[in-house]
Amino acid sequence: MRAFCVRTFNFFYKEVFFISKEAPQLNGEIRDKEVRVITADGEQLGIMSAREAQQEADKRGQDLVKIAPQAKPPVVKIMDYSKFRYEQAKREKENRKKQKTVETKEIRLSLNIDIGDFNTKVNQAKKFLAKGDKLKVSIRLRGREMAHPEIGTANMERFAEALGEDVNVDKAPKLEGRQILMFLSSKLSK
């Protein structure tokens, strides 16, 4: 059984749709002695040889598709395979539209940030959190600032308090190397 990925290209939207991880066997690729045949309506035609099933599919003007190769005997379905692929790609596209991608935005503070800059950063953070993004807040310590990481931790805690009660602190402020990092998310987006 060959395992490959079927791709269709939609040139209008410039997207690539991955239909399935493994393409099923079609028409002449089915080499089993006996197969259980089902029509597109779900009607069972019974067990017959692969050649007879192919003749039945040709008579109906449709494709023979192996849908359950692990069954004894394998199950094949008489259907319009190109229509099936189109509908499957359409379903996957709809599922991708419904998915919400969460981005992580970063805001950098400094150890001795002034109140005006601090308020600007708080307002920007509120916009990010309102959109449903996660927030990474960082302070880079330079030179002698490494002697006072507690000031940076206090700034981070003050920043989290300024954002209000609708903010969830995913990871508390922690010194990692020369940076103090804190991760925030909105309670409302969950």
Side-chain angles (χ1 to χ4, degrees), residues 22-55:
E22 193 174 299
Q25 290 181 350
L26 299 174
N27 301 326
E29 297 174 355
I30 300 172
R31 303 265 186 224
D32 298 305
K33 290 181 182 178
E34 289 186 331
V35 291
R36 182 177 305 274
V37 183
I38 300 173
T39 63
D41 304 330
E43 177 188 344
Q44 293 201 16
L45 299 180
I47 298 174
M48 56 180 77
S49 70
R51 183 176 295 146
E52 291 172 353
Q54 183 62 49
Q55 290 171 355

Side-chain angles (χ1 to χ4, degrees), residues 110-152:
S110 63
L111 202 61
N112 50 2
I113 190 167
D114 197 26
I115 190 72
D117 294 337
F118 183 82
N119 290 336
T120 303
K121 302 269 185 179
V122 167
N123 290 335
Q124 191 64 42
K126 285 180 181 178
K127 289 178 189 175
F128 290 150
L129 292 170
K131 281 197 277 184
D133 297 330
K134 290 193 175 208
L135 193 63
K136 175 182 174 182
V137 184
S138 64
I139 296 179
R140 180 172 289 260
L141 303 175
R142 291 170 283 170
R144 292 183 184 177
E145 293 175 351
M146 281 297 294
H148 302 287
E150 65 278 355
I151 297 172

Side-chain angles (χ1 to χ4, degrees), residues 122-184:
V122 167
N123 290 335
Q124 191 64 42
K126 285 180 181 178
K127 289 178 189 175
F128 290 150
L129 292 170
K131 281 197 277 184
D133 297 330
K134 290 193 175 208
L135 193 63
K136 175 182 174 182
V137 184
S138 64
I139 296 179
R140 180 172 289 260
L141 303 175
R142 291 170 283 170
R144 292 183 184 177
E145 293 175 351
M146 281 297 294
H148 302 287
E150 65 278 355
I151 297 172
T153 306
N155 278 350
M156 292 277 207
E157 290 169 355
R158 192 178 80 177
F159 187 80
E161 288 173 14
L163 288 172
E165 297 177 5
D166 296 335
V167 175
N168 188 26
V169 179
D170 295 336
K171 184 178 174 189
K174 183 179 177 186
L175 180 66
E176 294 180 6
R178 289 193 161 268
Q179 281 190 341
I180 301 174
L181 297 175
M182 176 173 68
F183 290 90
L184 305 169

Side-chain angles (χ1 to χ4, degrees), residues 81-108:
Y81 186 65
S82 59
K83 182 179 178 184
F84 170 74
R85 278 188 14 210
Y86 170 75
E87 289 172 353
Q88 190 175 11
K90 197 172 173 183
R91 278 194 305 270
E92 287 180 7
K93 186 178 177 184
E94 285 296 318
N95 289 340
R96 274 196 301 278
K97 280 184 183 177
K98 293 176 186 175
Q99 287 179 345
K100 171 75 171 109
T101 56
V102 177
E103 288 187 42
T104 302
K105 302 284 187 171
E106 182 173 1
I107 290 186
R108 291 185 182 169

